[in-house]
Amino acid sequence: AGPGSYTVGTMSERFDCHYCRDPLQGKKYVQKEGRHCCVKCFEKICANTCIECKKPIGADSKELHFKNRYWHDTCFRCFKCYTSLVNEPFMLRENNKVWCSNCTAAEDAPRCKGCFKPIIAGDQNVEYKKMVWHKDCFTCSQCKQVIGSGSFFPKGDDFYCVSCHEHKFAKTCAKCKNPITSGGLTYQEQPWHSECFICSNCKKQLGGKRFTAVEDQFYCVECYKECVAKKCAGCKNPITGFGRGTSVVNYEDESWHDYCFKCTKCARGLANKRFVCHNGKIYCAECPKRL
C-alpha cells in the first residue's frame, strides 16, 4: 500500500480554488492532478473514499492505496485480528477485506475434526482418510482418553483405543472369558485363545492338531490313548477312534476294536454277527458245537 498522489500546503501566491473560485493565498490548499483547490472542495469533490469506513479520506489524513482501493491509515487493519497492517505484509481477500499473514495462514489451514479450529504449520496432528485432528483432539469415543499417535480401531464415525475396542467389540474366549484381540480359533461355534485351547493332560496347544473331547475336556491323541481311551480286550491297545477300526464293539463292560472282535477258535470276524460267549471267550455260532 502506498500514499495518495496529491500534495497539501499553504498557498503563498495568488491562486483561486479550481472549484469554488475562493482565493487560496494564505490558506491551506490541496494540489491534485495539477489543480489547486481548497480543503473543503477537496474533501467534497476529490477525496477518495475509504473502502473500510466508507468516509472521505481528508487532506489531513494519511491515505494508503492498493489496486485502486483506498484506506485511512487507521482503517488499514486486519479484518480478523484488527492488527494494523501499515508496513506489514497483508492479503486482500473476498469482500475487499485485508488480512494479516498469520490470520490468512490460519484461515486457509485445514480444520481439526475435534475442535474445528485451524491446524497451522508446526501443530502436531493425526490424519486418517483425508480427515485431520490436533494430536490432543484425537480421543477415544469410549473413554475420551487421547489416542494421539497410538493404535486405534475405527468403527463408523467413532474411534476406539485398543483397550476399549477389546472390551466393547472383541470376542470373548470360552475358557478364560478375556477378549481375543488377535488370532484365536473356533470350536463348536465358540471362540478360544490358541493358548487356552490345550490338552487337559500335557497342556500342549491343540490348534490345527487332532484331538478328542471328553466331557468338556480336550486331549491330544497321545494323552487320550494313555489316560482316557479304553483298552481293547483283544489286542490290549487303546481304542482311540482314529485310523483303522474306528468302530467299537462293547459287551459286558469290555470293548474291542471291530477288527479284534473275532472267534477265539476260527478267528472269524464277529462284528455285527451272531456270537456265543463260553467260559469268558467269544466264539462264532458254529465253533462251540465243535468244542
Side-chain angles (χ1 to χ4, degrees), residues 49-251:
T49 300
C50 176
I51 198 169
E52 185 62 30
C53 70
K54 311 303 180 186
K55 295 179 181 180
I57 304 174
D60 294 330
S61 300
K62 184 177 180 181
E63 178 185 275
L64 300 174
H65 69 89
F66 178 73
K67 290 186 177 180
N68 295 322
R69 296 171 177 84
Y70 302 87
W71 294 263
H72 294 101
D73 63 334
T74 54
C75 292
F76 197 63
R77 294 178 176 274
C78 174
F79 172 73
K80 195 76 173 177
C81 69
Y82 304 110
T83 299
S84 174
L85 295 177
V86 177
N87 299 321
E88 296 293 334
F90 67 93
M91 176 72 70
L92 187 65
R93 296 175 67 90
E94 59 274 6
N95 299 322
N96 292 322
K97 301 297 183 182
V98 287
W99 295 56
C100 68
S101 56
N102 288 338
C103 289
T104 298
E107 183 71 12
D108 294 338
R111 296 277 170 172
C112 172
K113 287 284 290 182
C115 67
F116 305 106
K117 294 179 181 179
I119 298 175
I120 60 177
D123 285 347
Q124 290 186 309
N125 61 79
V126 176
E127 293 187 33
Y128 177 74
K129 288 188 175 180
K130 298 183 179 179
M131 297 182 290
V132 62
W133 294 258
H134 291 109
K135 185 177 179 180
D136 290 341
C137 292
F138 190 62
T139 59
C140 174
S141 299
Q142 183 79 11
C143 67
K144 308 305 179 183
Q145 295 297 309
V146 174
I147 297 174
S149 56
S151 299
F152 66 92
F153 293 87
K155 286 286 184 180
D157 293 330
D158 295 324
F159 301 89
Y160 296 90
C161 64
V162 174
S163 178
C164 288
H165 183 268
E166 288 178 0
H167 287 90
K168 190 174 180 67
F169 299 105
K171 293 181 179 180
T172 301
C173 176
K175 182 177 181 180
C176 70
K177 309 305 180 185
N178 291 322
I180 301 173
T181 58
S182 63
L185 51 86
T186 300
Y187 175 69
Q188 291 187 344
E189 299 183 355
Q190 288 187 312
W192 300 70
H193 289 113
S194 296
E195 58 270 24
C196 290
F197 196 72
I198 57 176
C199 175
S200 297
N201 186 58
C202 69
K203 310 304 180 184
K204 292 181 180 178
Q205 293 186 20
L206 298 176
K209 299 179 180 178
R210 298 172 70 185
F211 67 93
T212 297
V214 180
E215 296 180 352
D216 297 327
Q217 299 294 315
F218 305 106
Y219 298 90
C220 65
V221 173
E222 295 304 319
C223 288
Y224 179 75
K225 289 179 180 180
E226 183 69 24
C227 305
V228 183
K230 293 180 179 181
K231 301 300 188 290
C232 176
C235 68
K236 309 305 179 184
N237 291 321
I239 303 173
T240 63
F242 302 121
R244 179 173 174 240
T246 57
S247 297
V248 180
V249 178
N250 295 300
Y251 178 70

Side-chain angles (χ1 to χ4, degrees), residues 4 17 92 128 183 257 260 262:
C17 173
L92 187 65
Y128 177 74
H257 296 105
C260 292
K262 53 190 176 182

